[in-house]
Amino acid sequence: MSRPDVVTFGGDGPPILLLHALMGRAATWWSVAPWLTRHGSVIGIDARGHGRSPHRGGQWRTPDFVADAAELVAGLGAPAVVIGHSMGGLHGIALAAQHPDLVRALVLEDVGVDLRGRTVDDWRALFDAWPVPFASMRHVRVFFGPAADYFSECVEERADGYHLVAGPHELVDIAAEWGEHAYWDLVDRVRCPVLAIEAEHTVMPAGQQAEIAARVPGGGTHLVVEGAGHLVHDSAPRTYQGAVEAFLSWVLHEDVEITGDRV
């Protein structure tokens, strides 16, 4: 696919769509793409305000992101397995609820659907504290430590150093919506199978991800990955891979079943 905001990771078979988190971009999924391509044709999209998306400088809301994903999947010729991390998980829930014909199954990684009362002050303070621009890629990697592989995909070099590809003001504006709305009505409309993978050290409200799996009409499985942080697919890659591959094998009609509450 020749669109600048779409990354084609490879593979053949049923489409698998990857939706990234706030601050991220489709390229952050390269760490999982090699094994995901064994299960289907894997693509990712840069959300508005992120990566190479042509949509910049606007006040983007959940319906905007969902419309972009829906348009992309509609052009693939078959419903997709959607894998979303954090913000991408919320967009995946909304896509499955509003376009059930486009989503075959849903994998959610450390997602929240009711963050009412949380303000963007913490996000703003975080961005203000970062030493941007970073002088070099080494400075980026040292600053982000265990999350260096992820965040090295989220910066770009400019004349004065390395900056986040996504503008902090746009990021804060996107996050502001989450403190004002709950999305349980969308959860209650998801009719495809759902795997909810929660980090033991989650940044989301306690109990929400288990409730998502319990409430979805299509049936859900909730797994807590011990020792993992918010970036489960990077902080516990083997456990994440095992859970997702078992789920994919099941939803793609192979003779594999997953159950459980913790991994």
Side-chain angles (χ1 to χ4, degrees):
M1 189 170 292
S2 60
R3 287 175 46 174
D5 58 335
V6 172
V7 176
T8 301
F9 294 98
D12 295 305
I16 300 174
L17 174 64
L18 307 179
L19 302 177
H20 64 78
L22 189 74
M23 291 187 287
R25 60 189 302 182
T28 59
W29 289 105
W30 272 113
S31 61
V32 304
W35 55 264
L36 268 181
T37 55
R38 297 199 294 264
H39 300 275
S41 177
V42 183
I43 62 173
I45 185 172
D46 288 334
R48 295 183 180 220
H50 296 73
R52 295 181 178 177
S53 172
H55 301 287
R56 316 297 294 199
Q59 293 184 318
W60 314 121
R61 296 294 179 263
T62 298
D64 301 311
F65 301 112
V66 173
D68 293 339
E71 180 184 26
L72 178 60
V73 177
L76 299 178
V81 174
V82 177
I83 301 177
H85 173 224
S86 196
M87 177 184 78
L90 174 62
H91 297 165
I93 290 170
L95 179 64
Q98 296 170 358
H99 302 275
D101 57 318
L102 297 181
V103 182
R104 185 172 185 172
L106 188 57
V107 177
L108 307 173
E109 178 186 350
D110 218 44
V111 65
V113 294
D114 189 353
L115 305 181
R116 287 176 296 176
R118 293 192 180 186
T119 71
V120 295
D121 291 343
D122 289 343
W123 285 103
R124 189 175 289 110
L126 175 68
F127 297 140
D128 288 346
W130 287 2
V132 177
F134 294 94
S136 70
M137 182 58 72
R138 176 176 174 79
H139 286 83
V140 172
R141 299 189 67 84
V142 169
F143 181 79
F144 288 107
D149 286 344
Y150 182 90
F151 281 101
S152 65
E153 296 284 358
C154 302
V155 297
E156 63 182 359
E157 187 176 15
R158 301 177 190 169
D160 59 344
Y162 287 82
H163 294 255
L164 281 174
V165 179
H169 295 297
E170 277 190 90
L171 297 176
V172 168
D173 185 69
I174 291 168
E177 176 193 356
W178 306 334
E180 301 169 356
H181 302 284
Y183 301 91
W184 289 114
D185 61 318
L186 297 176
V187 172
D188 293 337
R189 293 162 53 193
V190 174
R191 301 196 174 278
C192 65
V194 172
L195 171 62
I197 301 176
E198 179 175 356
E200 179 182 12
H201 306 295
T202 182
V203 298
M204 300 303 173
Q208 276 196 22
Q209 296 178 74
E211 187 173 352
I212 291 170
R215 286 177 64 156
V216 288
T221 299
H222 172 236
L223 300 174
V224 178
V225 181
E226 294 181 353
H230 183 54
L231 287 164
V232 182
H233 64 269
D234 280 347
S235 60
R238 295 181 64 183
T239 303
Y240 178 88
Q241 177 180 348
V244 173
E245 288 200 296
F247 180 72
L248 291 177
S249 296
W250 174 56
V251 299
L252 298 177
H253 306 298
E254 297 180 18
D255 187 20
V256 176
E257 182 178 358
I258 61 172
T259 60
D261 185 63
R262 294 182 68 85
V263 173

